[in-house]
Amino acid sequence: MSHPLRKDFSYFIINTQTEKKNILIVIRLILQELYNLKKNRINDNDIILMKNKLELEYLQNNNKNKIEHYEEMYTDYYMWDQKIKNNKEKYLEYNNFNVDRIKLLCKIFRKDNMVINYGGNSNLNKDIIKIIKEFN
């Protein structure tokens, strides 16, 4: 996505939830996938799989009436004073992603421009730094 304040920046967010005891495991799994993408690149089968998952998520989201869904869906748009997009608009935007752009992002992924945020009352920074060092 383009950065809301600086059009020359871009970013992507991986957002998930887990129990406190699994935070480090989830971070390790996400980093493993990111480094695998960098190392092995993304192929056409991966793209097809992503599009199928995106469509399934779109269909599931159309049946949600939970406040958490709408909070998650609209927060960034509201925070950055941008036009709010509904499920269909977001689906069409994400479904029309540029495969070459994704391949480029996989190629240039670096740990020095990455931010990892987690919630809770434990400081796991040292453990997270150790995990990041595993993927050199």
Side-chain angles (χ1 to χ4, degrees):
M1 286 189 230
S2 294
H3 191 279
L5 301 178
R6 297 257 329 249
K7 297 302 177 196
D8 56 331
F9 286 174
S10 63
Y11 68 97
F12 70 94
I13 296 172
I14 299 172
N15 186 5
T16 190
Q17 294 179 355
T18 188
E19 294 180 27
K20 178 181 175 179
K21 66 181 181 176
N22 295 329
I23 292 174
L24 293 173
I25 294 168
V26 169
I27 290 172
R28 179 177 276 113
L29 290 171
I30 291 171
L31 288 175
Q32 180 67 52
E33 286 301 316
L34 291 172
Y35 281 97
N36 283 342
L37 283 173
K38 180 176 180 159
K39 181 180 175 184
N40 301 318
R41 305 293 192 266
I42 196 165
N43 62 43
D44 292 336
N45 288 335
D46 294 328
I47 299 295
I48 291 168
L49 182 61
M50 284 187 340
K51 286 194 174 229
N52 288 340
K53 285 182 179 181
L54 181 63
E55 184 172 2
L56 180 60
E57 182 179 323
Y58 168 68
L59 294 171
Q60 288 174 335
N61 284 340
N62 278 337
N63 294 321
K64 285 188 178 179
N65 288 320
K66 295 181 179 176
I67 190 70
E68 296 90 4
H69 167 68
Y70 293 103
E71 181 272 330
E72 179 182 325
M73 191 167 111
Y74 296 134
T75 298
D76 281 344
Y77 298 109
Y78 183 75
M79 264 180 37
W80 300 108
D81 196 27
Q82 295 180 340
K83 177 188 176 285
I84 293 176
K85 297 177 183 175
N86 63 31
N87 279 335
K88 185 171 185 174
E89 290 170 321
K90 286 178 71 170
Y91 168 73
L92 292 173
E93 178 183 338
Y94 292 155
N95 198 40
N96 290 324
F97 59 82
N98 183 320
V99 174
D100 293 330
R101 178 80 176 134
I102 291 175
K103 289 179 180 182
L104 176 64
L105 289 173
C106 292
K107 182 178 178 182
I108 63 173
F109 172 73
R110 303 181 328 260
K111 66 181 179 184
D112 62 329
N113 66 357
M114 175 177 51
V115 176
I116 298 175
N117 293 314
Y118 60 93
N121 56 4
S122 299
N123 185 339
L124 304 174
N125 292 349
K126 289 180 183 179
D127 296 316
I128 292 171
I129 290 169
K130 286 179 189 176
I131 292 170
I132 291 171
K133 287 180 180 181
E134 292 175 18
F135 298 102
N136 285 331

